[in-house]
Amino acid sequence: MDNDKFIELCKEKVVEYANTTMNLSSINKPVHINKSDIYVVWLNRTLQNNKALLSTTVSNGMYYEVTYNGDKNELYFDAYSHVHNRAFKLDE
């Protein structure tokens, strides 16, 4: 699968997930996004496999990992929530 087709498929899956399973808890309202609200953070293609990390313009801490297994013609979708962020000062 070429990168453009893969990215479009990834965006479709993120839209489907967000619009059917998520609410904006602060206003208790369903999320309604479209593909233009999604951006690719990272993309890789190795041989017949693709992987992308994506996020949306919705400020809810969610990000998505989509993997295409070219050997099995399967797509894997994972949704993650940003839970914690901590900075560490490193010695020089």
Side-chain angles (χ1 to χ4, degrees):
M1 179 179 311
D2 71 25
N3 283 342
D4 291 336
K5 184 176 178 182
F6 176 65
I7 291 169
E8 285 303 306
L9 183 58
C10 291
K11 288 183 175 186
E12 288 171 14
K13 295 301 180 188
V14 172
V15 166
E16 180 182 308
Y17 176 83
N19 287 340
T20 60
T21 64
M22 296 176 51
N23 286 324
L24 292 174
S25 59
S26 63
I27 56 176
N28 206 14
K29 178 179 169 186
V31 174
H32 293 287
I33 63 171
N34 58 48
K35 290 192 287 187
S36 66
D37 296 310
I38 300 165
Y39 57 94
V40 176
V41 176
W42 178 84
L43 174 68
N44 183 47
R45 178 180 171 88
T46 304
L47 301 174
Q48 69 279 6
N49 303 307
N50 303 73
K51 183 180 287 278
L53 298 179
L54 304 103
S55 191
T56 72
T57 57
V58 178
S59 298
N60 62 356
M62 292 295 295
Y63 66 99
Y64 308 90
E65 178 182 319
V66 184
T67 305
Y68 173 69
N69 181 337
D71 291 333
K72 295 183 178 182
N73 196 32
E74 293 179 337
L75 192 72
Y76 312 117
F77 178 89
D78 296 295
Y80 299 96
S81 178
H82 182 96
V83 176
H84 181 76
N85 183 346
R86 181 175 174 190
F88 295 92
K89 186 71 174 171
L90 303 177
D91 295 330
E92 292 184 30

